[in-house]
Amino acid sequence: MSLIKYLVVRSVVFGISLFYGGLTVLTVLFRWFKNGNEFFVVKERSLPPICLQDAAYGRHAYLKLKNIKLHYVENGDRNKPLMLFVHGYPEFWFSWRHQMKEFAATHWVVALDMRGYGDSEKPAKKSEYDLEILQKDIVELVKALKRDSCILVAHDWGGVIAWNVAANYPEVVEKLVIMNSPHPTTFREKLRGSIGQFLKSWYIFLYQLPYIPEWSVHTNDLEIFDRIFVDENNQLTITEEELEGYKYTFSRKGAWTPPINYYRQNFNIKGMIEGEKSLPKIRAPTLIIWGENDIALSKDFPELARPHVQNLTVKYVPKGNHFVQQDKVAEVNAHLAEFLNKA
């Protein structure tokens, strides 16, 4: 990219980010005016709710990798095939609780807190959340668990990482399961070529700004979770106690900047416009489970991934939202079981 083109693109992207930043500030201030000073209060939560300590989900543990200490929850027999779960934004290991209970009988299930999330370490530098580093976390974790490979199951941002791991480190992934996370190449192409997806991805531009994203989510006692974990009828898809689990985790000091830094580091100007180098074709058998009611991602992303995967199965979940593994548990677990049982 020439210097002139870079400066023009940088100015345009910065302008879009400022537009969404200004819109966000005005929206928050309007809601503050409407709701009063309590709107900026986040309730103090000193103790985790019982659901986060439920032994039915598994045992809590830590592993020190080369440059990071990661927290994870494990369940099942360690002699059985490793099934590694990687969460999205804004989540943590708990988003996989239903799948961990379901598959602990047949697999050694491990759900981690990615770096910067939950009880894992939270590096301060934005550069510590580069996609190359995030991939190596997964590869190193598999080795630290004394396995050569795993069944890799991922959602949202975890899916971004898992797509890359399966392409760049094929020896580590026996089978790949992706939930509501587009193949990186198709997402870049769609973002540049589809006004609909561009508008749906407005938050990516907002997240390029400092302070404002963190400020906006710390409103009305972390109401963001009341808004995202709902079904097509705007009813909560998780229990009140589970909702408290999310609010407890993300009400802790420094809980938001590291997850948002995933966007700041990896959706840079050059990557947005030119795209990164093409990923190798994925050889591992791959399943995409897609909630059809995802408001942030186009429904055609699963089929667009076919040229990038040798052996792809796609399962749509009617009325499933972006957080499909929590929204439509029975359907997701059935698709997972069918895929895992295939030779």
Side-chain angles (χ1 to χ4, degrees):
M1 183 186 296
S2 68
L3 178 60
I4 294 177
K5 183 178 180 181
Y6 173 81
L7 292 175
V8 170
V9 171
R10 184 180 177 87
S11 299
V12 170
V13 172
F14 186 62
I16 296 172
S17 297
L18 284 179
F19 170 77
Y20 284 120
L23 196 62
T24 297
V25 169
L26 290 174
T27 300
V28 170
L29 291 178
F30 173 78
R31 297 180 67 209
W32 169 52
F33 178 78
K34 185 177 178 181
N35 292 277
N37 289 335
E38 292 297 312
F39 183 70
F40 285 113
V41 174
V42 175
K43 186 172 70 175
E44 183 178 351
R45 295 171 169 87
S46 57
L47 295 174
I50 295 174
C51 63
L52 296 188
Q53 303 296 323
D54 191 341
Y57 300 137
R59 305 169 291 275
H60 293 254
Y62 294 85
L63 266 177
K64 183 70 172 73
L65 305 182
K66 185 177 180 181
N67 294 308
I68 195 77
K69 183 179 180 182
L70 297 180
H71 166 257
Y72 64 94
V73 177
E74 61 166 320
N75 203 347
D77 186 345
R78 296 183 183 182
N79 294 313
K80 291 181 177 179
L82 172 61
M83 196 171 178
L84 179 60
F85 293 93
V86 190
H87 65 81
Y89 169 89
E91 300 181 275
F92 60 117
W93 73 266
F94 191 62
S95 67
W96 298 109
R97 59 197 177 280
H98 302 297
Q99 288 70 43
M100 294 182 74
K101 287 180 69 175
E102 178 74 15
F103 294 100
T106 55
H107 293 76
W108 179 28
V109 293
V110 173
L112 80 150
D113 285 337
M114 293 196 295
R115 66 166 57 211
Y117 281 89
D119 289 323
S120 289
E121 281 188 328
K122 299 173 175 60
K125 293 181 179 179
K126 182 180 69 173
S127 60
E128 291 292 327
Y129 301 94
D130 190 82
L131 188 55
E132 292 290 333
I133 296 175
L134 300 175
Q135 291 178 69
K136 289 178 182 177
D137 283 350
I138 302 301
V139 175
E140 289 182 19
L141 178 62
V142 172
K143 303 301 181 186
L145 293 171
K146 300 186 177 357
R147 295 299 179 90
D148 294 323
S149 59
C150 69
I151 298 163
L152 188 56
V153 185
H155 168 254
D156 186 73
W157 247 109
V160 177
I161 300 166
W163 280 119
N164 281 271
V165 170
N168 295 322
Y169 302 90
E171 71 281 359
V172 174
V173 182
E174 297 172 24
K175 289 187 174 183
L176 177 66
V177 181
I178 299 290
M179 301 186 195
N180 285 72
S181 181
H183 186 280
T185 300
T186 66
F187 182 72
R188 290 194 300 267
E189 292 171 349
K190 193 85 168 176
L191 188 62
R192 295 195 300 268
S194 167
I195 187 64
Q197 185 57 56
F198 182 86
L199 293 173
K200 288 180 179 180
S201 302
W202 65 272
Y203 57 92
I204 293 177
F205 296 93
L206 172 66
Y207 285 176
Q208 303 309 304
L209 299 175
Y211 308 119
I212 292 176
E214 289 92 333
W215 174 72
S216 67
V217 294
H218 277 96
T219 55
N220 209 18
D221 195 30
L222 299 178
E223 187 187 22
I224 181 174
F225 294 109
D226 299 83
R227 298 199 306 268
I228 64 176
F229 293 125
V230 293
D231 61 17
E232 66 275 11
N233 299 314
N234 208 35
Q235 299 297 311
L236 271 179
T237 57
I238 62 178
T239 68
E240 291 290 343
E241 184 183 10
E242 290 168 342
L243 183 64
E244 275 299 300
Y246 275 91
K247 290 188 176 184
Y248 165 80
T249 299
F250 282 88
S251 66
R252 293 151 73 185
K253 185 177 180 180
W256 282 99
T257 296
I260 294 173
N261 277 342
Y262 278 57
Y263 292 92
R264 290 171 175 148
Q265 176 63 23
N266 296 292
F267 286 95
N268 52 44
I269 304 300
K270 186 175 181 180
M272 281 186 185
I273 303 305
E274 290 187 345
E276 301 164 12
K277 62 181 180 180
S278 297
L279 292 174
K281 197 167 188 176
I282 291 172
R283 302 200 303 262
T286 300
L287 168 67
I288 297 179
I289 299 176
W290 200 269
E292 290 186 342
N293 286 4
D294 193 323
I295 63 172
L297 296 168
S298 297
K299 187 179 174 181
D300 58 350
F301 272 124
E303 292 300 327
L304 292 175
R306 288 198 181 277
H308 306 283
V309 184
Q310 286 186 6
N311 182 1
L312 177 61
T313 301
V314 174
K315 297 290 185 180
Y316 286 99
V317 179
K319 298 183 179 180
N321 66 18
H322 178 73
F323 302 91
V324 66
Q325 77 274 33
Q326 300 181 75
D327 182 35
K328 301 294 181 184
V329 176
E331 294 93 325
V332 166
N333 287 354
H335 291 318
L336 256 175
E338 180 185 6
F339 178 69
L340 295 175
N341 289 332
K342 285 183 179 179

